[in-house]
Amino acid sequence: MYVSDALVKRLPAYLRYLDLLLDRGVYRISSTELGKIMGLTPSQVRQDINTFGGMGRQGYGYPVIDLKKHIEDVVGVNKTQNMIIIGAGNIGSALANYNGFKESGFKTIALFDVDSKKIGKKISGIPILDLKMMDNIVKNNDINIAILCCPLGMAQELCELAYNTGIRGFWNFAPLDLKIPDDAVCVNVSLSETLQQLSFRLKKLEND
Amino acid sequence: MYVSDALVKRLPAYLRYLDLLLDRGVYRISSTELGKIMGLTPSQVRQDINTFGGMGRQGYGYPVIDLKKHIEDVVGVNKTQNMIIIGAGNIGSALANYNGFKESGFKTIALFDVDSKKIGKKISGIPILDLKMMDNIVKNNDINIAILCCPLGMAQELCELAYNTGIRGFWNFAPLDLKIPDDAVCVNVSLSETLQQLSFRLKKLEND
């Protein structure tokens, strides 16, 4: 099944807006109304939802609770997913502290670091462990996602270490393109590069 | 001038790879070689660079230092840009602590928060100030970028407050689509949504 990058990015937005509708007590919504609040055409909304098996009947709109459950199932957040964070520096620590992930169905089981001063401590109740423990922790806790928050020069090596424990999902904060085997996926978030994109758009705005 | 989203995202990568080349002592590079390390075709590289005014002569390749300076100028990171962070919670604090921005040409001047327990403290030497101080700080420090790390419910209001001080660039970590005037730009980084995208890709990999 082909799913465009744009649709992959819209799926979390669907979940967010459907949550908002439920908060407001809206239990049924037409593609026109849903499109209006999300900035999409009604046909785009119908096409998006049909991609993963249609829901709702013509003229009746979508049942909000069912649609939300359906998309949660598609995204894989219908049950909690366990993660590890590799690198307990600024970004790694912040992500360990961040409560927003729990609400989205993700749980950090452990952080890993090479710094003996950090190992043994906890961040928000999550232990910082030696890299040697990774294999054991991953295998005993059904972990399939690693958040890479390590320095640039160590990212590829640590990614491979995590891959060898069985992890297949990588969220990479290091500013480099990791070499990932075909049976794994990687999503990059380079904070400095995102900021440079903003800078460019800002400069372009001033010049246009 | 029209610049595609894809090219905007490639510009920071050019800077990163050109830095890497300089570290390795490479001072001249052909579009073929540069394309090879970046995963682009030679004609794509030439087209990208020509978008902002060509450099280099046919058969001579690009001078790496000059090309890097040229792209830094295009991106607007040829001089330090001052920023503020709105919201001194987990993410805001982590970004204040993060050293990677300085290296990319961005400097955080102040954090702002509403919590009187936080106001007056410092993070990595950067003061946490009352929102009332924002107008003064922005106008006296040539600040044009605000990083929004505040709770969802306050993001739109605080964005407008920052806009009214003169700020036109917004980097938004709150998971919502801000209403931004035409003379401002906003780049969203929703950490939870990025994680949901990874989850979807991981699930798709298992099912395909």
Side-chain angles (χ1 to χ4, degrees):
Chain A
M1 177 177 60
Y2 173 74
V3 180
S4 71
D5 273 3
L7 176 50
V8 175
K9 286 185 183 167
R10 276 200 296 275
L11 288 172
Y14 274 106
L15 290 179
R16 171 157 52 90
Y17 282 104
L18 291 170
D19 254 341
L20 214 64
L21 288 170
L22 289 177
D23 282 349
R24 288 183 195 156
V26 178
Y27 291 96
R28 187 166 285 279
I29 192 157
S30 66
S31 52
T32 308
E33 284 300 315
L34 185 53
K36 198 179 285 173
I37 59 171
M38 290 187 63
L40 302 167
T41 65
S43 79
Q44 184 66 74
V45 169
R46 286 192 296 269
Q47 194 183 319
D48 283 355
I49 293 169
N50 281 335
T51 304
F52 304 104
M55 289 195 68
R57 275 185 297 154
Q58 185 76 37
Y60 281 78
Y62 298 105
V64 178
I65 291 176
D66 294 350
L67 182 58
K68 183 175 165 240
K69 277 189 189 151
H70 184 58
I71 298 177
E72 281 175 346
D73 192 44
V74 163
V75 173
V77 290
N78 46 352
K79 63 179 182 78
T80 300
Q81 294 187 64
N82 292 337
M83 319 185 288
I84 56 168
I85 296 175
I86 303 179
N90 291 325
I91 297 291
S93 303
L95 294 176
N97 266 316
Y98 186 51
N99 289 317
F101 295 144
K102 268 180 225 155
E103 295 158 20
S104 317
F106 299 93
K107 189 179 171 190
T108 306
I109 301 296
L111 292 107
F112 292 91
D113 207 286
V114 293
D115 183 349
S116 59
K117 283 185 219 113
K118 289 179 181 169
I119 293 166
K121 292 188 176 160
K122 288 186 176 191
I123 297 174
S124 284
I126 303 164
I128 305 176
L129 305 175
D130 191 291
L131 286 174
K132 285 186 212 116
M133 302 281 289
M134 196 192 292
D135 194 59
N136 194 287
I137 294 288
V138 168
K139 283 172 180 152
N140 286 309
N141 290 280
D142 189 25
I143 291 168
N144 205 15
I145 293 176
I147 310 182
L148 294 164
C149 303
C150 46
L152 180 59
M154 298 171 74
Q156 182 65 41
E157 185 188 340
L158 291 174
C159 170
E160 285 166 21
L161 185 74
Y163 179 87
N164 289 333
T165 69
I167 285 179
R168 291 297 177 265
F170 295 92
W171 195 19
N172 175 35
F173 282 75
L176 84 165
D177 301 314
L178 293 168
K179 293 183 197 80
I180 298 278
D182 286 344
D183 67 342
V185 288
C186 181
V187 171
N188 291 317
V189 176
S190 166
L191 296 174
S192 295
E193 297 199 359
T194 311
L195 199 43
Q196 289 177 352
Q197 291 168 28
L198 175 62
S199 171
F200 172 77
R201 290 189 194 279
L202 200 50
K203 195 158 182 199
K204 191 166 179 303
L205 188 78
E206 286 161 8
N207 293 338
D208 275 358
Chain B
M1 178 178 57
Y2 174 74
V3 180
S4 71
D5 273 3
L7 177 50
V8 175
K9 286 185 183 167
R10 276 200 295 275
L11 288 172
Y14 275 106
L15 290 178
R16 172 156 51 90
Y17 282 106
L18 292 169
D19 254 341
L20 213 65
L21 288 169
L22 288 177
D23 282 349
R24 288 183 195 156
V26 178
Y27 292 95
R28 187 165 284 279
I29 192 157
S30 66
S31 52
T32 308
E33 283 301 315
L34 185 53
K36 199 179 285 174
I37 60 171
M38 291 187 63
L40 302 167
T41 65
S43 79
Q44 183 68 74
V45 169
R46 286 192 296 270
Q47 195 184 318
D48 283 356
I49 294 168
N50 282 336
T51 304
F52 305 105
M55 289 195 69
R57 274 186 297 154
Q58 186 76 36
Y60 281 78
Y62 299 104
V64 178
I65 291 175
D66 293 352
L67 182 58
K68 183 176 166 241
K69 277 189 190 149
H70 184 57
I71 297 178
E72 281 175 347
D73 192 44
V74 164
V75 173
V77 290
N78 47 351
K79 62 180 183 80
T80 300
Q81 294 187 63
N82 292 337
M83 317 186 289
I84 56 168
I85 296 176
I86 303 178
N90 290 324
I91 298 291
S93 303
L95 295 176
N97 266 316
Y98 186 51
N99 288 318
F101 295 144
K102 268 180 225 155
E103 294 158 21
S104 316
F106 299 92
K107 188 179 172 192
T108 306
I109 301 295
L111 292 106
F112 292 90
D113 208 285
V114 292
D115 183 350
S116 59
K117 284 186 218 113
K118 289 179 180 169
I119 293 166
K121 292 189 177 159
K122 287 186 176 192
I123 298 175
S124 282
I126 304 164
I128 305 175
L129 305 175
D130 192 292
L131 286 174
K132 285 187 213 116
M133 302 281 288
M134 195 192 293
D135 194 59
N136 194 286
I137 294 287
V138 168
K139 283 171 180 154
N140 287 309
N141 290 280
D142 188 24
I143 291 168
N144 205 14
I145 293 176
I147 310 182
L148 294 163
C149 303
C150 46
L152 179 60
M154 298 171 74
Q156 183 64 42
E157 184 187 342
L158 290 174
C159 170
E160 286 166 21
L161 185 72
Y163 179 87
N164 289 334
T165 69
I167 285 178
R168 292 296 177 264
F170 295 92
W171 196 19
N172 174 35
F173 281 75
L176 83 165
D177 302 314
L178 293 167
K179 292 182 197 81
I180 299 278
D182 286 344
D183 67 343
V185 288
C186 180
V187 171
N188 290 317
V189 176
S190 166
L191 296 174
S192 295
E193 297 199 0
T194 311
L195 199 43
Q196 289 177 351
Q197 291 168 28
L198 175 62
S199 171
F200 171 78
R201 290 189 194 280
L202 200 50
K203 193 157 185 202
K204 191 166 179 305
L205 188 78
E206 287 161 8
N207 293 338
D208 275 358

